[in-house]
Amino acid sequence: MRKPFQSVRSKMVLSYLAVVLVIALLFGSIFYLFFSHQYSKEIRINNQLSLKSTVNTIESSVIQKVNQVYLSLALGNAANINLDSLQGNHSKILDIEQSLKNMVQNYSDLIEAIHVYDTKNNFIVSSVYGLLLYEDTPSSVDHTTDWIAAMKETPESSLWMKTRMVPQDAYIESREQSNRSPLISYVHSYPFQSSGQDSKALIAIDIKESAISQIIKNMLPADYANTLIIDQDGTVISAADKTLIGTFTEENLTQSLLSYPSSEEGFTPVFNYDSHVVTQDQFKGNAWRIYTTTPNESFYYKLDSLKEISVLLGLLAVAVGIAMSSLFTRANYSPLKRILNNIKSRMDSPTSLKQDEYRFIDTTINSLSNKVDSLEETLQANHKMIKHSIMLNMLNNRFTPEELTEQLQSVHISIAYTRFRCIVIDPVNEKWKDLQPRQLQHTLYTMIQQLEMAEMEGTQLLAEELQDHKIAVIICTNQSEEPLSDLIVDFIHTEAKTRFDLDFVLSLGGWVEHFTEVYTSYHQANTLIRYSYFFPDQSAIQDLDLLNRETSSLEIPDSYLVNFEKKLQTRDVHGTVQAIQELVSQIKEGMYSSEYSRIILLKTVSIYSECIHQVRWQPTEAHTLSLYKQFSLFYNINRYSEWMIHLVTEFVMHMEKRSEVRSVDTISAVKIYIQENLSGDLTLDHVSEQVFISPKYLSKLFKEETGIVYSEYVTNQRMERARELMTQREITVEQVANTVGYRTPAYFIKKFKEIHGCTPKNFMRSLMEQGSI
């Protein structure tokens, strides 16, 4: 039984119903069109906004970018234009020329060439012409040197040249317009604030006028042919008609543009007996102005009456309805025709369209078969690149299982294995950084080749380079797991050491049972590789329990850093070294994430930096690299520990030498501190912190300078103070003990008797008898 609406008649009915609907909608829109008298004004505003947007785009994409290029040349290290020492230095000139070429290549869509002119030595370094000599009074001035003469005559620091038609081949002068391209030169003096007359150098940047034209074409496609850019002198800078570029106007649109001060609303002078609306705007970066002309017909519609509009719209609705009906009928009635049209639109040879339809389809199938064969040859030639892309997408889980199976089969990778595991190799270490880029790439390619060529029974290794110079290795095997992993790890270390004399760090993810799960093993290995920094003694990081540390929010107790800071400030070398070792041990054994652990180590560097800053001292390595830069160069925690211990030892030794010079001042400061703080903490450790020397050295220094040990001096001072307090009325022994720093009266009484030969009460009694209190 035929389904509803499957017959041609039913579909035709639906088609004409659609026609009626279109007619009704079009008649409904009549009233909107008739009463929207603001329509032309809105178009005018939109035109102005589009033009302003075009100006902003040109300023950001051309003018600002050119200024950035100049600043990069004038201020950056890529092309230092300080030409004072270049005379005779050909290698430096070649370096500048290469830098200019690199800059042109980076901005090839905008910049044609860059030239640097040395005003003192009168030579030009150009990205196109190389090294040129320039005469102060050349016999003829062309586009290669005219900017020099123009810039020397201006008191300004920059200059926009007029557009010139320049030969496309820099070494062949061509008079044919088709072989010449328009360029705009932007010239700026160096140094930045100097004028063109007193500058040391001039930098000229040749800008492609086609870049500006393309922006205008993209932003104003409908008005592109009627859009001009004119400089302050009335010269055409950019136009769709390239014959107008660089010329003053004849009897054309531009002459009238310059004679009418237009507003943002535009104006309507008459050009060639036709009325136009002109919209204009000005560039902020220079004195250019952009004008676009639009015929008045685009803005104003002359409507005679509602009746005429109704008739026209009715006819249009009927035409549209008939067209839609025809399309519906043909689409449902002739599917074979659609197939033929689709095939014909993709055929290279138009003569084949004259063949019989069925023969034409047969010929097309044969041609498609030949193209498939050619495509297979192309895929074979690009096998490595395709394999690299597939492997990276697989490691990042960008395929469905069906897509992954299809992609692996396309590059002839077998998936007939029962277990898979991913290894991440990180070659970065001190020796690795010393290699040249070619050596780095050669090392990676050689290692990948050796891994994939390794012959292991029932096992295949797939290796690919990652973006950060790491190597991802996928173990595909049917063998037992752990012995095979250990064998491959030993193989990688041996190859790296014997072939390149390098020590690689490795991490292994967990085993998975299907190719579609390899990405989980890869992400595990990529996470574990971070912990090679903390466990450099392990041949490979493969403890999956370390993954729990990445999600741990546990923090190292503050006491470790406080202890390190305290020992460092007291110049206790042994204590500081022990604090470093305890912190390193805690990081290795605790459940702390790799990033957090690195931050804690960085804090120790910050504490050390603050400490040496307080005493205004710098380590011997400070003149080459900052402490934080040195820290970033260490690739394992053992090297960090050795470095930090070395810095601490050097710092304490320096401070002790410095302390020998100021020993007398230090003892005076200690005595003053003791006198002012008799009731406080006067332990050797505490007081040594106040004068920034170690307790051991303070004790030795105090004995040498005073002849008595530190503790005896403190006791004597307290007893003297106690005697003074006892001469006062209404004070108890307990109060005296607390005032001079003794927390227990019994111990105070004992020490007082040792010093004065009697107890405090007997001493006070004797004073009362003498009438002293």
Side-chain angles (χ1 to χ4, degrees), residues 705-740:
E705 294 294 329
T706 64
I708 60 175
V709 296
Y710 173 81
S711 60
E712 183 179 354
Y713 179 82
V714 173
T715 302
N716 291 337
Q717 292 298 312
R718 282 176 167 168
M719 292 303 107
E720 288 296 326
R721 179 59 176 160
R723 287 186 60 180
E724 295 176 3
L725 293 173
M726 289 178 186
T727 61
Q728 302 175 8
R729 291 182 178 272
E730 298 180 355
I731 188 168
T732 64
V733 174
E734 289 79 5
Q735 290 175 336
V736 173
N738 288 332
T739 303
V740 296

Side-chain angles (χ1 to χ4, degrees), residues 57 119 400 428 580 712:
T57 303
T119 59
T400 63
V428 178
I580 294 172
E712 183 179 354

Side-chain angles (χ1 to χ4, degrees), residues 428-532:
V428 178
N429 51 45
E430 285 83 350
K431 290 185 179 180
W432 175 265
K433 287 295 185 181
D434 295 334
L435 298 179
Q436 297 297 323
R438 289 187 178 180
Q439 293 175 309
L440 299 179
Q441 206 62 42
H442 172 73
T443 301
L444 293 177
Y445 285 163
T446 304
M447 178 57 69
I448 291 173
Q449 185 178 13
Q450 291 300 115
L451 288 170
E452 294 195 335
M453 291 176 58
E455 296 183 359
M456 300 180 185
E457 184 178 356
T459 301
Q460 181 182 8
L461 299 182
L462 302 175
E464 284 297 336
E465 179 187 359
L466 303 177
Q467 293 182 350
D468 49 359
H469 293 307
K470 295 177 183 175
I471 299 176
V473 183
I474 301 176
I475 305 174
C476 313
T477 185
N478 294 318
Q479 296 187 24
S480 58
E481 299 173 351
E482 297 311 323
L484 176 62
S485 298
D486 296 338
L487 177 63
I488 295 174
V489 169
D490 292 340
F491 173 77
I492 294 174
H493 282 303
T494 302
E495 287 292 315
K497 194 66 178 177
T498 55
R499 287 182 177 271
F500 314 110
D501 192 26
L502 295 173
D503 294 320
F504 291 174
V505 293
L506 285 72
S507 64
L508 288 79
W511 288 97
V512 295
E513 297 181 354
H514 198 271
F515 243 119
T516 56
E517 300 173 348
V518 168
Y519 74 94
T520 61
S521 180
Y522 164 70
H523 286 294
Q524 290 172 351
N526 203 30
T527 302
L528 290 177
I529 199 67
R530 304 171 189 169
Y531 291 92
S532 61

Side-chain angles (χ1 to χ4, degrees), residues 285-300:
N286 47 33
W288 292 354
R289 300 188 70 86
I290 184 170
Y291 295 85
T292 181
T293 62
T294 306
N296 272 344
E297 291 84 3
S298 301
F299 291 91
Y300 305 106

Side-chain angles (χ1 to χ4, degrees), residues 565-573 576 607-608 610-617 648 651-663 665-667 669-670 673 683-699 701:
E565 183 175 9
K566 179 179 179 181
K567 297 298 182 182
L568 183 61
Q569 289 180 347
T570 59
R571 316 294 188 262
D572 184 357
V573 175
T576 308
I607 292 172
Y608 172 79
E610 179 66 23
C611 184
I612 65 175
H613 177 71
Q614 290 176 354
V615 297
R616 299 181 180 179
W617 177 76
V648 168
F651 169 66
V652 173
M653 290 176 61
H654 172 81
M655 294 308 298
E656 288 182 352
K657 290 180 181 179
R658 181 191 290 183
S659 298
E660 293 177 359
V661 179
R662 57 178 186 177
S663 59
D665 295 336
T666 301
I667 295 302
V670 169
Y673 183 82
T683 60
L684 189 62
D685 288 343
H686 178 75
V687 175
S688 64
E689 290 181 4
Q690 311 309 312
V691 293
F692 304 104
I693 60 176
S694 67
K696 181 178 179 181
Y697 182 69
L698 176 59
S699 177
L701 188 62

Side-chain angles (χ1 to χ4, degrees), residues 545-615:
D545 291 338
L546 290 174
L547 297 174
N548 297 327
R549 293 178 58 161
E550 284 298 294
T551 57
S552 173
S553 59
L554 189 64
E555 296 184 357
I556 293 176
D558 294 338
S559 58
Y560 285 92
L561 293 177
V562 171
N563 184 40
F564 169 76
E565 183 175 9
K566 179 179 179 181
K567 297 298 182 182
L568 183 61
Q569 289 180 347
T570 59
R571 316 294 188 262
D572 184 357
V573 175
H574 176 74
T576 308
V577 171
Q578 185 177 1
I580 294 172
Q581 293 172 344
E582 289 176 354
L583 177 62
V584 169
S585 177
Q586 180 68 15
I587 288 175
K588 289 183 177 180
E589 298 173 1
M591 289 293 294
Y592 311 111
S593 67
S594 59
E595 182 178 358
Y596 173 76
S597 299
R598 293 291 290 268
I599 292 174
I600 292 299
L601 295 179
L602 192 60
K603 283 185 177 180
T604 63
V605 179
S606 179
I607 292 172
Y608 172 79
S609 177
E610 179 66 23
C611 184
I612 65 175
H613 177 71
Q614 290 176 354
V615 297

